[in-house]
Amino acid sequence: MIEFFFDCSSPWTYLAFHNIQPLAREVNVDIAWRPILVGGIFNTINPSVYASRETPVPAKARYMKKDLADWARSSGLAIKMPPTVFPVNSVKAMRGCIWLQYEQPETMVPFARTVFEIYWGEDKDISKDEVLTEVCQRVGLDPAAFFAGISEQVIKDELKLNTDEVMARGGFGSPTIYLDKTDMYFGNDRMPLIREALQRRSAA
């Protein structure tokens, strides 16, 4: 089992979300999708992210933009960095992922994929109800049911519990990926290491 803790507000998570699915099919392993709120992680244990945004190292920032573009090209994805609204409040989108795991589990991955695409590829603000309404329409969800569902306290609580859990298990951002509960990997560029680890488990 692969556990994939994710927040759609991260471009590196978009890459990993895209790339881990064929990897899982290749090695015949299921993915447990675990929506989180990465801002809650930054606020609690990793405020250095905010400091680096306020006082970036110019050379590093230029390279990171190139690196992201290279990875996006390799993955066949469109990623605009930075989008017009960045960082973005993704709480409603991530609550939507939680709600769908209960109501329409088969729609959770298409919904998350569309949230990634509409934010990173089309530069639309996923904190806005009208943008989330468009996401719902694209994946065949009733927007009224969606907004009612994400307002339920149990959905809000589970998003916080997932976020608290990943921090308690050593995570500090998105995406955080676990194999066998304790073998942690962070980021899109760890895919080769994850593949090797899964192949070792399969061989054993």
Side-chain angles (χ1 to χ4, degrees), residues 86-121:
F86 182 78
V88 70
N89 185 338
S90 61
V91 65
K92 290 181 180 179
M94 301 319 298
R95 286 176 184 166
C97 291
I98 297 276
W99 177 71
L100 283 167
Q101 289 179 325
Y102 289 104
E103 296 298 321
Q104 288 184 223
E106 71 282 358
T107 308
M108 199 287 293
V109 169
F111 174 83
R113 181 186 303 116
T114 304
V115 171
F116 278 120
E117 290 171 350
I118 209 166
Y119 180 53
W120 292 107

Short mmCIF file of all heavy atoms in Angstrom, two decimals, residues 86-121:
data_model
loop_
_atom_site.label_atom_id
_atom_site.label_comp_id
_atom_site.label_asym_id
_atom_site.label_seq_id
_atom_site.Cartn_x
_atom_site.Cartn_y
_atom_site.Cartn_z
N PHE A 86 -1.04 33.06 -5.56
CA PHE A 86 -0.12 32.10 -4.96
C PHE A 86 0.53 32.73 -3.72
O PHE A 86 1.03 33.84 -3.82
CB PHE A 86 0.97 31.68 -5.95
CG PHE A 86 1.93 30.66 -5.38
CD1 PHE A 86 1.55 29.33 -5.31
CD2 PHE A 86 3.18 31.03 -4.91
CE1 PHE A 86 2.42 28.38 -4.77
CE2 PHE A 86 4.04 30.10 -4.37
CZ PHE A 86 3.67 28.78 -4.31
N PRO A 87 0.50 32.04 -2.59
CA PRO A 87 -0.16 30.76 -2.37
C PRO A 87 -1.68 30.90 -2.38
O PRO A 87 -2.20 32.01 -2.23
CB PRO A 87 0.35 30.35 -0.98
CG PRO A 87 0.69 31.63 -0.30
CD PRO A 87 1.19 32.54 -1.38
N VAL A 88 -2.36 29.79 -2.53
CA VAL A 88 -3.81 29.80 -2.63
C VAL A 88 -4.41 29.06 -1.43
O VAL A 88 -3.79 28.13 -0.89
CB VAL A 88 -4.27 29.15 -3.95
CG1 VAL A 88 -4.03 27.64 -3.95
CG2 VAL A 88 -5.72 29.48 -4.27
N ASN A 89 -5.59 29.46 -1.03
CA ASN A 89 -6.32 28.77 0.03
C ASN A 89 -7.03 27.56 -0.58
O ASN A 89 -8.00 27.73 -1.33
CB ASN A 89 -7.32 29.72 0.68
CG ASN A 89 -8.03 29.09 1.88
OD1 ASN A 89 -8.11 27.87 1.99
ND2 ASN A 89 -8.54 29.92 2.76
N SER A 90 -6.55 26.38 -0.28
CA SER A 90 -7.08 25.16 -0.90
C SER A 90 -8.01 24.39 0.03
O SER A 90 -8.37 23.24 -0.26
CB SER A 90 -5.92 24.24 -1.32
OG SER A 90 -5.16 23.86 -0.18
N VAL A 91 -8.42 25.00 1.14
CA VAL A 91 -9.14 24.24 2.16
C VAL A 91 -10.45 23.64 1.62
O VAL A 91 -10.76 22.47 1.91
CB VAL A 91 -9.39 25.09 3.43
CG1 VAL A 91 -10.30 26.26 3.15
CG2 VAL A 91 -9.95 24.23 4.56
N LYS A 92 -11.20 24.38 0.82
CA LYS A 92 -12.47 23.84 0.31
C LYS A 92 -12.22 22.69 -0.67
O LYS A 92 -12.94 21.68 -0.66
CB LYS A 92 -13.29 24.94 -0.36
CG LYS A 92 -13.85 25.95 0.61
CD LYS A 92 -14.68 27.01 -0.12
CE LYS A 92 -15.25 28.03 0.86
NZ LYS A 92 -16.04 29.08 0.17
N ALA A 93 -11.21 22.83 -1.51
CA ALA A 93 -10.88 21.76 -2.45
C ALA A 93 -10.46 20.49 -1.72
O ALA A 93 -10.87 19.38 -2.08
CB ALA A 93 -9.78 22.21 -3.40
N MET A 94 -9.66 20.65 -0.66
CA MET A 94 -9.18 19.47 0.06
C MET A 94 -10.28 18.84 0.90
O MET A 94 -10.34 17.62 1.04
CB MET A 94 -7.96 19.84 0.91
CG MET A 94 -6.79 20.40 0.10
SD MET A 94 -6.46 19.56 -1.48
CE MET A 94 -6.06 17.90 -0.91
N ARG A 95 -11.17 19.67 1.44
CA ARG A 95 -12.35 19.09 2.10
C ARG A 95 -13.19 18.33 1.09
O ARG A 95 -13.78 17.29 1.41
CB ARG A 95 -13.18 20.21 2.74
CG ARG A 95 -12.57 20.79 4.01
CD ARG A 95 -13.42 21.95 4.51
NE ARG A 95 -12.82 22.60 5.68
CZ ARG A 95 -13.18 23.78 6.16
NH1 ARG A 95 -14.17 24.45 5.56
NH2 ARG A 95 -12.59 24.29 7.22
N GLY A 96 -13.23 18.84 -0.15
CA GLY A 96 -13.96 18.14 -1.19
C GLY A 96 -13.39 16.75 -1.46
O GLY A 96 -14.15 15.79 -1.66
N CYS A 97 -12.09 16.63 -1.43
CA CYS A 97 -11.46 15.32 -1.62
C CYS A 97 -11.87 14.36 -0.50
O CYS A 97 -12.14 13.18 -0.73
CB CYS A 97 -9.95 15.46 -1.68
SG CYS A 97 -9.32 16.29 -3.15
N ILE A 98 -11.90 14.87 0.74
CA ILE A 98 -12.33 14.06 1.87
C ILE A 98 -13.79 13.62 1.69
O ILE A 98 -14.13 12.43 1.84
CB ILE A 98 -12.19 14.84 3.19
CG1 ILE A 98 -10.73 15.20 3.48
CG2 ILE A 98 -12.83 14.08 4.35
CD1 ILE A 98 -9.92 14.15 4.14
N TRP A 99 -14.65 14.58 1.38
CA TRP A 99 -16.07 14.29 1.23
C TRP A 99 -16.31 13.23 0.15
O TRP A 99 -17.11 12.29 0.35
CB TRP A 99 -16.82 15.58 0.89
CG TRP A 99 -18.28 15.40 0.64
CD1 TRP A 99 -19.24 15.10 1.56
CD2 TRP A 99 -18.94 15.50 -0.62
NE1 TRP A 99 -20.47 15.02 0.95
CE2 TRP A 99 -20.31 15.26 -0.39
CE3 TRP A 99 -18.52 15.79 -1.92
CZ2 TRP A 99 -21.25 15.29 -1.42
CZ3 TRP A 99 -19.45 15.82 -2.93
CH2 TRP A 99 -20.80 15.57 -2.68
N LEU A 100 -15.60 13.35 -0.95
CA LEU A 100 -15.78 12.39 -2.04
C LEU A 100 -15.34 10.99 -1.66
O LEU A 100 -15.89 10.00 -2.17
CB LEU A 100 -15.04 12.86 -3.29
CG LEU A 100 -15.73 13.98 -4.06
CD1 LEU A 100 -14.80 14.59 -5.09
CD2 LEU A 100 -17.01 13.46 -4.73
N GLN A 101 -14.37 10.87 -0.77
CA GLN A 101 -13.96 9.53 -0.34
C GLN A 101 -15.10 8.78 0.33
O GLN A 101 -15.12 7.55 0.32
CB GLN A 101 -12.74 9.63 0.58
CG GLN A 101 -11.48 10.03 -0.17
CD GLN A 101 -10.27 10.17 0.72
OE1 GLN A 101 -10.36 10.59 1.87
NE2 GLN A 101 -9.11 9.78 0.22
N TYR A 102 -16.04 9.52 0.91
CA TYR A 102 -17.21 8.92 1.52
C TYR A 102 -18.37 8.77 0.53
O TYR A 102 -19.05 7.75 0.51
CB TYR A 102 -17.69 9.76 2.71
CG TYR A 102 -16.78 9.71 3.91
CD1 TYR A 102 -15.93 10.77 4.20
CD2 TYR A 102 -16.76 8.60 4.74
CE1 TYR A 102 -15.09 10.73 5.31
CE2 TYR A 102 -15.92 8.54 5.85
CZ TYR A 102 -15.09 9.61 6.13
OH TYR A 102 -14.26 9.56 7.21
N GLU A 103 -18.59 9.81 -0.26
CA GLU A 103 -19.79 9.88 -1.08
C GLU A 103 -19.64 9.24 -2.46
O GLU A 103 -20.54 8.56 -2.94
CB GLU A 103 -20.23 11.34 -1.24
CG GLU A 103 -20.63 12.00 0.07
CD GLU A 103 -21.82 11.32 0.72
OE1 GLU A 103 -22.75 10.92 0.00
OE2 GLU A 103 -21.82 11.20 1.96
N GLN A 104 -18.52 9.52 -3.13
CA GLN A 104 -18.28 8.98 -4.47
C GLN A 104 -16.80 8.69 -4.62
O GLN A 104 -16.07 9.44 -5.27
CB GLN A 104 -18.71 9.98 -5.55
CG GLN A 104 -20.21 10.13 -5.71
CD GLN A 104 -20.57 11.06 -6.86
OE1 GLN A 104 -21.45 11.90 -6.75
NE2 GLN A 104 -19.89 10.91 -7.98
N PRO A 105 -16.31 7.62 -3.99
CA PRO A 105 -14.86 7.38 -3.98
C PRO A 105 -14.24 7.29 -5.37
O PRO A 105 -13.09 7.69 -5.56
CB PRO A 105 -14.71 6.06 -3.21
CG PRO A 105 -16.07 5.59 -2.88
CD PRO A 105 -17.05 6.65 -3.19
N GLU A 106 -15.02 6.83 -6.35
CA GLU A 106 -14.48 6.70 -7.70
C GLU A 106 -14.26 8.06 -8.36
O GLU A 106 -13.56 8.16 -9.37
CB GLU A 106 -15.41 5.85 -8.56
CG GLU A 106 -16.73 6.49 -8.95
CD GLU A 106 -17.78 6.49 -7.84
OE1 GLU A 106 -17.52 5.94 -6.74
OE2 GLU A 106 -18.88 7.04 -8.06
N THR A 107 -14.84 9.11 -7.79
CA THR A 107 -14.72 10.45 -8.36
C THR A 107 -13.63 11.27 -7.69
O THR A 107 -13.27 12.34 -8.18
CB THR A 107 -16.07 11.19 -8.25
OG1 THR A 107 -17.10 10.36 -8.81
CG2 THR A 107 -16.09 12.51 -9.00
N MET A 108 -13.06 10.78 -6.58
CA MET A 108 -12.08 11.58 -5.85
C MET A 108 -10.85 11.89 -6.70
O MET A 108 -10.41 13.05 -6.77
CB MET A 108 -11.65 10.89 -4.56
CG MET A 108 -11.01 11.82 -3.53
SD MET A 108 -9.33 12.36 -3.94
CE MET A 108 -8.42 10.82 -3.80
N VAL A 109 -10.29 10.89 -7.36
CA VAL A 109 -9.08 11.13 -8.17
C VAL A 109 -9.39 12.06 -9.35
O VAL A 109 -8.65 13.02 -9.59
CB VAL A 109 -8.44 9.81 -8.62
CG1 VAL A 109 -7.36 10.05 -9.67
CG2 VAL A 109 -7.83 9.08 -7.42
N PRO A 110 -10.47 11.84 -10.13
CA PRO A 110 -10.78 12.81 -11.18
C PRO A 110 -11.02 14.22 -10.65
O PRO A 110 -10.62 15.20 -11.30
CB PRO A 110 -12.05 12.23 -11.83
CG PRO A 110 -11.98 10.76 -11.55
CD PRO A 110 -11.34 10.64 -10.21
N PHE A 111 -11.65 14.33 -9.49
CA PHE A 111 -11.86 15.65 -8.90
C PHE A 111 -10.53 16.31 -8.57
O PHE A 111 -10.28 17.46 -8.93
CB PHE A 111 -12.73 15.53 -7.64
CG PHE A 111 -12.88 16.81 -6.88
CD1 PHE A 111 -13.83 17.74 -7.24
CD2 PHE A 111 -12.07 17.10 -5.80
CE1 PHE A 111 -13.98 18.94 -6.54
CE2 PHE A 111 -12.19 18.28 -5.09
CZ PHE A 111 -13.14 19.21 -5.46
N ALA A 112 -9.66 15.59 -7.84
CA ALA A 112 -8.36 16.15 -7.48
C ALA A 112 -7.56 16.52 -8.71
O ALA A 112 -6.92 17.58 -8.77
CB ALA A 112 -7.59 15.17 -6.60
N ARG A 113 -7.59 15.64 -9.73
CA ARG A 113 -6.85 15.93 -10.96
C ARG A 113 -7.36 17.22 -11.60
O ARG A 113 -6.57 18.05 -12.06
CB ARG A 113 -7.00 14.77 -11.95
CG ARG A 113 -6.24 14.98 -13.26
CD ARG A 113 -6.52 13.88 -14.27
NE ARG A 113 -6.21 12.58 -13.73
CZ ARG A 113 -7.10 11.60 -13.51
NH1 ARG A 113 -8.37 11.81 -13.78
NH2 ARG A 113 -6.72 10.45 -13.03
N THR A 114 -8.67 17.42 -11.60
CA THR A 114 -9.24 18.61 -12.21
C THR A 114 -8.91 19.85 -11.40
O THR A 114 -8.67 20.93 -11.97
CB THR A 114 -10.77 18.44 -12.36
OG1 THR A 114 -11.03 17.24 -13.11
CG2 THR A 114 -11.38 19.62 -13.09
N VAL A 115 -8.86 19.72 -10.07
CA VAL A 115 -8.44 20.86 -9.24
C VAL A 115 -7.00 21.24 -9.58
O VAL A 115 -6.69 22.42 -9.77
CB VAL A 115 -8.57 20.53 -7.74
CG1 VAL A 115 -7.93 21.62 -6.89
CG2 VAL A 115 -10.04 20.37 -7.34
N PHE A 116 -6.12 20.25 -9.65
CA PHE A 116 -4.74 20.53 -10.05
C PHE A 116 -4.70 21.23 -11.41
O PHE A 116 -4.00 22.23 -11.59
CB PHE A 116 -3.95 19.22 -10.15
CG PHE A 116 -3.41 18.69 -8.86
CD1 PHE A 116 -3.78 17.43 -8.41
CD2 PHE A 116 -2.48 19.41 -8.12
CE1 PHE A 116 -3.26 16.90 -7.23
CE2 PHE A 116 -1.95 18.89 -6.95
CZ PHE A 116 -2.34 17.64 -6.50
N GLU A 117 -5.41 20.69 -12.38
CA GLU A 117 -5.36 21.22 -13.74
C GLU A 117 -5.89 22.64 -13.83
O GLU A 117 -5.30 23.50 -14.51
CB GLU A 117 -6.15 20.31 -14.68
CG GLU A 117 -5.50 18.95 -14.92
CD GLU A 117 -6.39 17.99 -15.68
OE1 GLU A 117 -7.60 18.32 -15.86
OE2 GLU A 117 -5.91 16.92 -16.08
N ILE A 118 -7.01 22.89 -13.15
CA ILE A 118 -7.64 24.20 -13.28
C ILE A 118 -6.83 25.28 -12.57
O ILE A 118 -6.84 26.44 -12.97
CB ILE A 118 -9.10 24.14 -12.77
CG1 ILE A 118 -9.97 25.17 -13.50
CG2 ILE A 118 -9.20 24.30 -11.25
CD1 ILE A 118 -11.46 24.97 -13.33
N TYR A 119 -6.10 24.88 -11.52
CA TYR A 119 -5.25 25.86 -10.82
C TYR A 119 -3.91 26.01 -11.50
O TYR A 119 -3.52 27.12 -11.89
CB TYR A 119 -5.07 25.43 -9.36
CG TYR A 119 -4.20 26.38 -8.56
CD1 TYR A 119 -4.47 27.75 -8.53
CD2 TYR A 119 -3.10 25.92 -7.84
CE1 TYR A 119 -3.67 28.62 -7.80
CE2 TYR A 119 -2.30 26.79 -7.10
CZ TYR A 119 -2.58 28.13 -7.08
OH TYR A 119 -1.80 29.00 -6.37
N TRP A 120 -3.18 24.91 -11.68
CA TRP A 120 -1.82 24.99 -12.21
C TRP A 120 -1.75 25.12 -13.72
O TRP A 120 -0.83 25.73 -14.24
CB TRP A 120 -1.01 23.77 -11.76
CG TRP A 120 -0.77 23.80 -10.29
CD1 TRP A 120 -1.34 23.03 -9.31
CD2 TRP A 120 0.08 24.72 -9.60
NE1 TRP A 120 -0.90 23.42 -8.08
CE2 TRP A 120 -0.03 24.44 -8.22
CE3 TRP A 120 0.92 25.76 -10.02
CZ2 TRP A 120 0.69 25.16 -7.26
CZ3 TRP A 120 1.62 26.47 -9.06
CH2 TRP A 120 1.51 26.17 -7.70
N GLY A 121 -2.72 24.58 -14.42
CA GLY A 121 -2.70 24.65 -15.88
C GLY A 121 -3.49 25.81 -16.46
O GLY A 121 -3.10 26.39 -17.47
#
